[in-house]
Amino acid sequence: MTVIELGDVSGVPADSPESAPRAEFRQGSVRRMALIGLALLCAVLLGASARPVPAGFRQLWSAPFGQNDTMAIRDDVVYVHRDDGGGARLTAYAVETGKVLWERDTGTQMSWLHAGQNQEVLLIPGDEQTVEVEFEDGSYGVEIFGGTVTAMDPATGERLWKHPGTLKGSDTGDTVLLHEYDRKNLIAIRLVRARDGSVVWERRLKGAETAMLQLDGTAPAHVVVLGAAGETTVLRYADGVTAAQRRLPWIEQQPTLGRGSSLSTATGLVLVNDNVTQRQGKVTAYRVGTLERAWERETAENPYVQDCGPVLCLGDGTNVVALDPASGAERWRRSGYPGVSPLPDDRVLISGTGEDVQQTLIHAEDGRVIGAGARGYVLHHDREADIMMLSLSLPPDNSRSVLRRLDLRTGRSVVLGVIPVAGDGFCGGDGRYVGCRDGDRITITDVG
């Protein structure tokens, strides 16, 4: 006899149209949902031994999954990397059936697995070196340097190429940007073609500390290299040729005094974010092609500026302030939202603090709110469908999560149901499939 048991939905947070919008991000993924009505909030138990899952959700299969394992879902394949003491290996499963499609030894524990759609390859790290270090406050940590990136064919697991370095700027179409570090410095940057690994250009560096990708809109335009004391070099992304070079005003990091500079970029700009004192900050914008000063603005402590389409988004304390890119003048602001993520079509998603992790959709041009938003961490952003899947753990033990779908055109959300997860909330996905850690296994579910 089949027993149907109603799930406990008393802890499912309600979506109130009048709730104040907020947000916060977590990596992961899921895509298209088509679940309706109160049946979404029921759990179905098939037999005495099965775990309850929401009606409409199909729990497909599960596989062993340790605390240090990684997982990615891409199209109709689930990639799981394990290091169980018997050797590190990457396994590809058919998402619907759990059938093993291929398995390859990797020889190393992986801290990440990149299965981005844009590059038509799987990218995995390896050969990283670690060393324990003592910081100025007496605490200890681990430095990671060196390493390699290997590209694999997602259909067969065949190794396509391997280069020294670490992955930077993953959303770069048919190319991959790699940064190579030794113990102290950035020693090389190379751009390679994603599919065959052929080198487009390479720059060997001396005295460089770090570098970052500069985008014009969504297109990679430059690589900005930072050396000691603010020595800054701008390389063209297409060919690695130097476009500009200058020593920018720079404050060396002094954590105990609350002082220091950091670098960010936006369309057409290089931005130096200064903590002048523990209570006062400053942002200075330079034109990326010449490194000439464009404007300067005083801020609260710990400023950080990023591209937000037609405006720049300044993280100013607990505020998000929209700035005019040409002058630095304020366009609009919202308080209590330290996180921000730009979206296509001049929209911005901003995030709140604490446990009220509500996503808020904003018109970037004027700061108007779009819809009521929704609570939860982002599991997946489906850019084609213009939706996000959100997950919010339920107390008291966080062993279940509410899944929601947020429509990024209207700012409205739909509660899809409740799914079991481990206490750490690890989930990832793509399309209609989501995989969540549940004890010592990863469980794959079709959410519709």
Side-chain angles (χ1 to χ4, degrees):
M1 179 180 66
T2 298
V3 179
I4 298 179
E5 174 180 296
L6 293 180
D8 175 14
V9 298
S10 61
V12 178
D15 279 329
S16 169
E18 306 301 326
S19 60
R22 294 193 188 166
E24 193 162 318
F25 285 89
R26 176 175 296 181
Q27 301 232 342
S29 38
V30 183
R31 205 187 264 174
R32 203 165 280 118
M33 313 296 156
L35 304 172
I36 309 173
L38 292 178
L40 298 173
L41 304 179
C42 296
V44 178
L45 185 65
L46 299 178
S49 61
R51 288 287 303 272
V53 295
F57 288 8
R58 285 193 303 134
Q59 185 171 299
L60 300 175
W61 52 273
S62 68
F65 195 74
Q67 290 296 316
N68 295 321
D69 295 345
T70 57
M71 182 274 296
I73 300 178
R74 170 173 166 172
D75 295 332
D76 55 356
V77 181
V78 180
Y79 302 96
V80 177
H81 188 268
R82 301 183 180 89
D83 184 1
D84 57 8
R89 61 191 181 279
L90 181 64
T91 306
Y93 298 89
V95 70
E96 276 282 346
T97 65
K99 177 184 176 182
V100 174
L101 303 176
W102 54 261
E103 192 168 53
R104 298 287 182 271
D105 292 336
T106 62
T108 182
Q109 184 173 331
M110 286 166 35
S111 55
W112 51 265
L113 168 63
H114 180 72
Q117 302 279 2
N118 57 323
Q119 294 167 346
E120 300 182 354
V121 291
L122 296 175
L123 299 175
I124 64 173
D127 307 309
E128 295 173 331
Q129 300 180 59
T130 61
V131 61
E132 187 176 359
V133 294
E134 182 178 3
F135 300 113
E136 65 175 26
D137 62 358
S139 63
Y140 289 87
V142 174
E143 285 184 354
I144 301 175
F145 63 95
T148 60
V149 172
T150 298
M152 303 174 71
D153 187 310
T156 66
E158 176 190 0
R159 193 177 94 169
L160 302 174
W161 52 263
K162 181 178 181 179
H163 282 295
T166 186
L167 179 67
K168 296 288 184 180
S170 59
D171 296 325
T172 50
D174 58 358
T175 56
V176 178
L177 185 64
L178 301 173
H179 292 191
E180 183 180 352
Y181 288 87
D182 65 11
R183 173 75 189 277
K184 296 185 179 298
N185 294 302
L186 174 64
I187 60 174
I189 298 176
R190 62 181 58 85
L191 186 70
V192 304
R193 292 185 176 87
R195 189 63 189 178
D196 63 16
S198 58
V199 177
V200 179
W201 57 264
E202 179 178 282
R203 287 287 298 264
R204 306 300 299 185
L205 304 170
K206 290 184 178 180
E209 296 182 354
T210 189
M212 64 190 319
L213 182 65
Q214 183 265 328
L215 304 175
D216 282 347
T218 59
H222 298 91
V223 179
V224 182
V225 181
L226 179 66
E231 188 66 40
T232 305
T233 303
V234 178
L235 308 177
R236 293 196 308 235
Y237 185 84
D239 54 18
V241 171
T242 298
Q245 192 167 31
R246 179 187 167 189
R247 177 167 291 182
L248 301 179
W250 194 259
I251 303 173
E252 293 298 327
Q253 289 290 334
Q254 304 169 60
T256 56
L257 299 178
R259 289 168 51 85
S261 297
S262 65
L263 200 68
S264 61
T265 64
T267 299
L269 296 174
V270 174
L271 299 136
V272 177
N273 310 289
D274 293 327
N275 235 25
V276 181
T277 70
Q278 289 183 333
R279 297 173 180 244
Q280 179 187 1
K282 180 179 67 174
V283 173
T284 309
Y286 300 88
R287 297 180 180 89
V288 70
T290 62
L291 290 179
E292 295 176 347
R293 182 179 175 277
W295 49 264
E296 185 174 284
R297 178 187 178 89
E298 292 187 356
T299 70
E301 72 277 9
N302 300 317
Y304 187 82
V305 178
Q306 68 180 79
D307 222 334
C308 283
V311 297
L312 301 176
C313 286
L314 164 66
D316 187 7
T318 59
N319 299 316
V320 172
V321 183
L323 305 180
D324 186 297
S327 65
E330 181 176 328
R331 294 260 193 96
W332 53 265
R333 73 168 53 210
R334 296 189 66 85
S335 61
Y337 299 90
V340 60
S341 180
L343 299 172
D345 300 324
D346 297 345
R347 294 165 298 167
V348 175
L349 206 64
I350 60 176
S351 47
T353 58
E355 298 180 358
D356 188 18
V357 286
Q358 178 144 345
Q359 307 291 342
T360 304
L361 191 63
I362 299 287
H363 285 287
E365 186 69 38
D366 56 18
R368 287 181 296 117
V369 176
I370 305 171
R375 296 177 64 204
Y377 295 95
V378 175
L379 289 181
H380 173 64
H381 178 194
D382 182 354
R383 290 171 175 79
E384 292 183 5
D386 219 11
I387 61 173
M388 280 183 175
M389 175 65 81
L390 310 178
S391 172
L392 185 65
S393 296
L394 292 175
D397 58 0
N398 297 323
S399 63
R400 299 176 303 154
S401 271
V402 180
L403 297 185
R404 288 179 172 86
R405 181 183 62 216
L406 174 62
D407 189 322
L408 296 176
R409 294 161 297 186
T410 65
R412 298 173 182 170
S413 69
V414 176
V415 176
L416 301 174
V418 179
I419 194 167
V421 297
D424 64 2
F426 176 87
C427 289
D430 185 44
R432 59 191 291 170
Y433 304 104
V434 58
C436 292
R437 188 198 310 278
D438 187 10
D440 58 358
R441 302 184 70 82
I442 191 79
T443 298
I444 307 301
T445 303
D446 180 350
V447 294

